[in-house]
């Protein structure tokens, strides 16, 4: 059984080396990165500085089934549903009461022409490397998602700057990492089930 605290390479689990987000919540228009380098870390900051937003991005990468997520857990908020994948992609940040109306107006940093990328890279003492990444964009009013796993380090600036809604970005990454390799270094999944199964297999997680 894998254990993050074991110092034996064949028993130790994977540790987070770095994580990046682009257009996720209030992290907008540029790439934001944290870099624990496999160390136990404490994420600190003022209220509303984005701590929960970053943790929710990691939760999204590791828990792909929406029904199993509870966003914004660290804030102690009991009400579920205030934060969703859609609100994070759009960058919703406030609800304004409209004059003479009982309804509210949601303020957002981005519109539905945007796209969002979250990515995290892990390795273990055996030198195995795994990068999880997810891309989200809108087609009309529908939020589209693409999931991927790579056995090499990826970063948003170098590997996703060519994103397009037609899917050519996948072909570019496939050519870059798989064309000269006998084994696939990068895999794409359009659904969360295949993504979760592959992730569990590569991380050595027990199936429940």
């Amino acid at each position: 059984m894998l254990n993050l605290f074991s110092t034996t390479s064949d028993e130790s689990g994977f540790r987070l080396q770095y994580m990046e987000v682009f257009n996720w919540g209030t992290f907008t228009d540029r790439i934001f990165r944290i870099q624990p380098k496999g160390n136990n870390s404490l994420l600190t900051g003022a209220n509303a500085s984005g701590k929960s937003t970053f943790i929710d991005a990691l939760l999204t990468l590791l828990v792909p089934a929406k029904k199993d997520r509870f966003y914004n857990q660290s804030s102690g908020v009991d009400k579920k549903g205030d934060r969703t994948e859609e609100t994070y992609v759009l960058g919703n940040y406030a609800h304004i009461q409209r004059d003479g109306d009982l309804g509210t107006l949601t303020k957002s940093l981005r519109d539905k022409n945007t796209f969002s990328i979250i990515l995290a890279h892990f390795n273990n003492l055996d030198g195995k490397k795994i990068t999880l990444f997810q891309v989200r964009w809108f087609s009309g009013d529908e939020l589209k998602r693409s999931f991927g796993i790579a056995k090499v380090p990826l970063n948003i600036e170098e590997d996703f700057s060519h994103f397009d809604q037609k899917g050519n970005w996948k072909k570019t990454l496939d050519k870059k990492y798989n064309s000269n390799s006998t084994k696939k270094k990068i895999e794409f999944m359009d659904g969360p089930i295949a993504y979760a199964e592959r992730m569990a297999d590569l991380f050595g997680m027990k199936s429940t």
Side-chain angles (χ1 to χ4, degrees):
M1 187 174 179
L2 298 182
N3 185 335
L4 283 176
F5 301 101
S6 174
T7 56
T8 305
S9 63
D10 61 351
E11 296 178 354
S12 63
F14 287 82
R15 287 178 171 266
L16 178 65
Q17 301 301 310
Y18 61 83
M19 180 178 167
E20 297 181 341
V21 300
F22 175 75
N23 285 346
W24 177 262
T26 51
F27 296 106
T28 193
D29 292 336
R30 66 181 180 88
I31 300 162
F32 293 81
R33 170 186 271 229
I34 59 173
Q35 196 161 310
K37 297 182 180 180
N39 297 309
N40 295 332
S41 302
L42 177 65
L43 189 61
T44 64
N47 289 343
S49 62
K51 300 184 299 297
S52 295
T53 298
F54 228 109
I55 295 303
D56 283 350
L58 183 59
L59 180 68
T60 303
L61 286 167
L62 296 175
V63 185
K66 185 177 180 180
K67 65 181 177 62
D68 293 331
R69 296 198 203 121
F70 178 12
Y71 282 147
N72 204 22
Q73 293 183 56
S74 59
S75 71
V77 175
D78 293 327
K79 183 180 179 182
K80 298 184 180 182
D82 285 347
R83 300 192 185 193
T84 64
E85 291 182 9
E86 290 84 354
T87 65
Y88 273 133
V89 174
L90 291 171
N92 292 1
Y93 65 92
H95 299 287
I96 307 299
Q97 188 75 39
R98 294 180 293 195
D99 292 339
D101 194 341
L102 295 177
T104 58
L105 176 67
T106 301
K107 302 283 286 183
S108 304
L109 294 171
R110 300 176 291 277
D111 60 25
K112 291 185 178 179
N113 293 313
T114 193
F115 67 95
S116 174
I117 301 170
I118 54 178
L119 173 155
H121 179 69
F122 304 80
N123 64 24
N124 68 2
L125 292 179
D126 274 342
K128 294 179 181 177
K129 304 176 187 299
I130 296 176
T131 302
L132 306 177
F133 62 90
Q134 296 180 16
V135 183
R136 288 173 172 77
W137 68 97
F138 286 94
S139 177
D141 289 330
E142 183 182 0
L143 182 65
K144 297 287 189 177
R145 300 178 293 169
S146 184
F147 305 84
I149 300 177
K151 296 179 181 178
V152 292
L154 303 179
N155 66 75
I156 294 174
E157 182 176 7
E158 295 181 6
D159 295 304
F160 294 89
S161 59
H162 49 273
F163 173 81
D164 69 299
Q165 293 191 6
K166 295 182 179 179
N168 292 321
W169 63 278
K170 292 183 183 180
K171 297 177 183 178
T172 301
L173 284 174
D174 183 66
K175 181 178 180 181
K176 180 178 179 180
Y177 290 104
N178 292 334
S179 60
N180 296 318
S181 178
T182 55
K183 293 184 179 180
K184 282 192 173 184
K185 294 181 179 178
I186 188 168
E187 301 174 62
F188 303 96
M189 302 89 176
D190 289 324
I193 295 177
Y195 169 80
E197 290 176 347
R198 186 64 176 135
M199 178 175 60
D201 179 55
L202 289 173
F203 279 130
M205 298 176 178
K206 275 191 172 182
S207 179
T208 57

